DNA sequence: CTGAAAGCGCTTACAG
DNA sequence: CTGAAAGCGCTTACAG
């Protein structure tokens, strides 16, 4: 790698001033731009393999074409990386680059991660959380900030999964297929606390709305806030005590996994004997047999949307992203012949 | 946020030159540094909440305290994020920042991601892969490059999990607990191809070495390169045809999951009736019941090590990171009373 | 249509 | 022990 060519090198080779070279290379729509000069500039730049120095440009412009991503805990959830990918996709499309940092959820680390990003003069900042909680983020001027998958106490613009709609769609998916006696495992009023989740309440409300619309209620609702396989396992055993339950809504895929285990132990087949629908779409959902029908938390799309909003500037206070139903065959169609 | 203070502002307030301020703030061990002047500088800097502008410093120094991370597909595996966390931990400890990019494994995208990083004058570059393959990375001068969890055809320094040792340890874990009739599910000579994996061969060799040392061979080896639950399920059913097999080594956790399914269906309990040990340590491993004993792919540590090597400069050609055994109770101790 | 020059905020020879 | 000045590589008023 020879020494990198500078604007001045290009200008010298083209026999023009750096002013002109800069204008041409940045497509300044000026009267200036004799096609001839432009050609010479482009040829010289190509010949020297000229690449502008972002540090110099950043220093001059105060813009860096860089967006900071501050994650609470990239490590914790299986889909953190999907959010990052979404951010990167959009950043790349729009010729920006992403600086990454991890904050935990301690206010001091958030502040220092923020300082870091501000120091580096990022043109915008995305906070990403793996669980949709309420967080404290300092208000800063001048730089657009978007919170992905969480809400900020200070009212920063945020992007959230549309949980109400997802709850509604999940219930309708069952109702449309003729299910009437449905159980729900993983209700927890304790979770409807902004410090724990800003979206679970909507999920419940969506489920309830669809049921009410059909003139129904859940046959059984199993309480539980620890959404792990054990809850699904124990819950399913309670469900089996009821007669005629044809479908279970599981609070998430791990709970659904427990339901599968209990069903298998009991000699019940999914979906022939019991339909299961759930939320999250973890990898787990596709390991199960049959694979699990579940409402996906759209981490990729949350990331894409957050990056778009930051780059466009002036984001609205709240943006909802749909949670697509991943139909994988764990729900039986009772209306089929 | 008022306008950010500059070095000149600090100098003015301290009544000193920018030279002196710069010296003090960067702890230049000079004769210069009357304690009095230093104090005034520090006080002024603190008062103005001075933070150096990295773009200016980068322009001047050609160093950015930034390391680029180019991942093949951050999205693909569940532990991508652990590698990122490892990188971030070390970067933060050493006051560096991480620029992230995704390349896929297409040579042109690798090249353009690399250009991006070089443009931004990163002080080093880490390539991270989620599966330990052989990849093509252009040789570049001047900037240290480390490959995490892969090998480069051009011989760039790399960091790999110590699969030989892990294979050996896994087998020993069974042997030490009195197992003698052991099956292995997921042998595949086809995978021992650098284009697919540079480490699987070592894993096999480690397993074989431990068995040979004990004067044993696997009772049964199930061939298979698609390491999904189906393979484990089908493989386990073959294993059950053999008499007296007390333990199964699964090629990875997903295969082990299939083994669990087959065992449960057959009415065998893990580990009482069948011990299972495996490789990877996915989230899945801790959902199973009992949780799965498995050799962890140390993504976090791979990330940490790669970052350390890049920052230290002059990395050795190959660095091995141990794969710790996660002992979770899916192996029975036959020697226990 | 084009260029000379200032300036973004630093660091570092150089001179004192 | 300290400061004036150059220069890193750009962009952009300003003047022609």
């Amino acid at each position: 790698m020879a020494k990198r060519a500078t604007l001045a090198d290009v200008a010298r080779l083209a026999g023009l001033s750096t002013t002109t070279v800069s204008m041409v290379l940045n497509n300044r729509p000026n009267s200036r731009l004799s096609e001839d000069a432009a050609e010479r500039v482009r040829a010289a730049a190509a010949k020297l393999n000229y690449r502008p120095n972002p540090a110099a440009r950043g220093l001059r412009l105060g813009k860096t074409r860089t967006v900071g991503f501050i994650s609470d805990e990239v490590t914790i959830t299986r889909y953190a990386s999907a959010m990052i990918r979404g951010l990167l996709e959009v950043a790349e499309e729009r010729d920006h680059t992403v600086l990454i940092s991890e904050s935990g959820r301690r206010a001091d680390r958030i502040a220092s991660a923020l300082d870091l990003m501000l120091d580096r003069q990022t043109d915008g900042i995305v906070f990403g959380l793996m669980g949709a909680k309420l967080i404290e983020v300092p208000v800063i001027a001048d730089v657009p900030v978007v919170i992905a998958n969480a809400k900020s106490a200070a009212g920063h613009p945020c992007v959230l999964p549309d949980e109400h709609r997802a709850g509604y769609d999940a219930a309708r998916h069952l109702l449309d297929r003729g299910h009437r006696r449905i159980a729900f495992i993983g209700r927890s009023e304790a979770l409807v606390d902004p410090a724990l989740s800003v979206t679970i309440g909507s999920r419940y409300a969506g489920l309830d709305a669809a049921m009410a619309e059909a003139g129904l209620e859940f046959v059984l609702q199993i309480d539980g806030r620890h959404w792990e396989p054990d809850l699904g396992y124990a819950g399913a055993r309670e469900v089996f005590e009821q007669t005629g339950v044809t479908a279970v809504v599981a609070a998430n895929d791990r709970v659904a996994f427990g339901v599968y285990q209990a069903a298998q132990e009991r000699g019940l087949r999914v979906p022939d004997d019991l339909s299961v629908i759930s939320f999250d779409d973890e990898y787990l959902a596709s390991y199960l047999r049959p694979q699990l029908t579940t409402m996906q938390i759209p981490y990729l799309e949350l990331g894409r949307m957050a990056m778009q909003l930051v780059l466009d500037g002036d984001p609205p206070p709240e943006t909802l992203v749909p949670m697509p139903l991943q139909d994988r065959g764990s729900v039986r169609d009772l209306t089929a012949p």
Side-chain angles (χ1 to χ4, degrees), chain A residues 3-308:
Chain A
K3 191 114 183 240
R4 183 165 156 165
T6 70
L7 242 208
D9 296 330
V10 177
R12 203 169 307 121
L13 182 60
L16 290 162
S17 73
T18 59
T19 308
T20 304
V21 173
S22 174
M23 293 289 182
V24 171
L25 260 24
N26 292 301
N27 295 311
R28 280 282 167 288
N30 231 341
S31 41
R32 62 203 318 157
L33 265 196
S34 71
E35 210 24 70
D36 169 55
E39 263 322 313
R40 269 154 61 209
V41 167
R42 278 190 283 265
K47 173 134 186 239
L48 295 176
N49 190 24
Y50 170 71
R51 323 216 40 163
N53 179 328
R57 188 179 263 166
L59 179 58
R60 177 64 225 238
L61 262 20
K63 297 263 166 209
T64 53
R65 303 194 80 75
T66 299
V67 172
F69 174 56
I70 301 177
S71 159
D72 59 340
E73 292 166 313
V74 282
T75 234
I76 278 266
T77 351
R78 34 249 130 224
Y79 272 87
S81 43
M83 185 183 286
I84 297 177
R85 170 174 265 205
L87 295 164
L88 290 177
E89 282 182 1
V90 174
E92 192 177 328
E93 285 163 17
R94 302 174 54 162
D95 194 28
H96 279 247
T97 220
V98 178
L99 213 48
I100 189 171
S101 171
E102 196 179 51
S103 72
R105 232 167 295 123
R106 283 174 32 210
D108 59 331
R109 293 201 55 211
I110 290 181
S112 73
L114 201 52
D115 276 348
L116 181 84
M117 296 302 178
L118 260 17
D119 273 4
R120 303 261 169 177
Q121 312 203 252
T122 50
D123 300 339
I125 295 173
V126 174
F127 277 89
L129 275 83
M130 293 309 127
K133 317 217 162 53
L134 188 71
I135 57 165
E136 301 280 348
V137 173
V139 176
I140 53 177
D142 304 332
V143 177
V145 173
V146 170
I147 318 276
N149 202 34
K151 273 189 177 172
S152 106
H156 293 83
C158 66
V159 183
L160 290 168
D162 189 347
E163 289 274 8
H164 185 96
R165 175 76 186 282
Y168 183 87
D169 288 350
R172 281 237 53 97
H173 188 75
L174 297 175
L175 294 165
D176 289 348
R177 281 157 190 75
H179 295 274
R180 288 296 172 271
R181 294 184 61 76
I182 305 174
F184 178 40
I185 301 179
R187 189 124 201 164
S188 165
E189 292 312 321
L191 286 181
V192 186
D193 168 350
L196 299 174
S197 168
V198 290
T199 55
I200 293 304
S202 308
R203 186 183 290 186
Y204 293 155
L207 285 164
D208 293 344
M211 293 297 280
E213 206 177 277
L216 294 172
E217 288 188 351
F218 288 110
V219 172
L220 183 64
Q221 301 201 54
I222 308 291
D223 214 82
R225 53 181 295 187
H226 296 294
W227 293 357
E228 297 296 336
D230 286 350
L231 174 62
Y233 181 83
R237 291 170 60 110
E238 282 190 59
V239 170
F240 299 152
E241 302 301 307
Q242 302 287 320
T243 52
V245 173
T246 60
V248 168
V249 179
N252 73 4
D253 296 343
R254 301 202 289 283
V255 172
F257 181 35
V259 173
Y260 270 55
Q261 291 173 321
Q264 187 179 10
E265 200 173 286
R266 178 104 172 187
L268 298 174
R269 282 160 311 164
V270 177
D272 301 340
D273 304 314
L274 184 71
S275 293
V276 181
I277 193 168
S278 145
F279 295 84
D280 279 9
D281 193 25
E282 295 189 33
Y283 287 102
L284 178 61
S286 54
Y287 293 161
L288 297 179
R289 351 169 65 227
Q291 296 188 340
L292 184 59
T293 295
T294 188
M295 309 301 300
Q296 180 181 75
I297 299 182
Y299 286 106
L300 182 89
E301 202 50 50
L302 289 167
R304 289 190 59 98
M305 181 62 76
M307 181 60 75
Q308 269 159 20

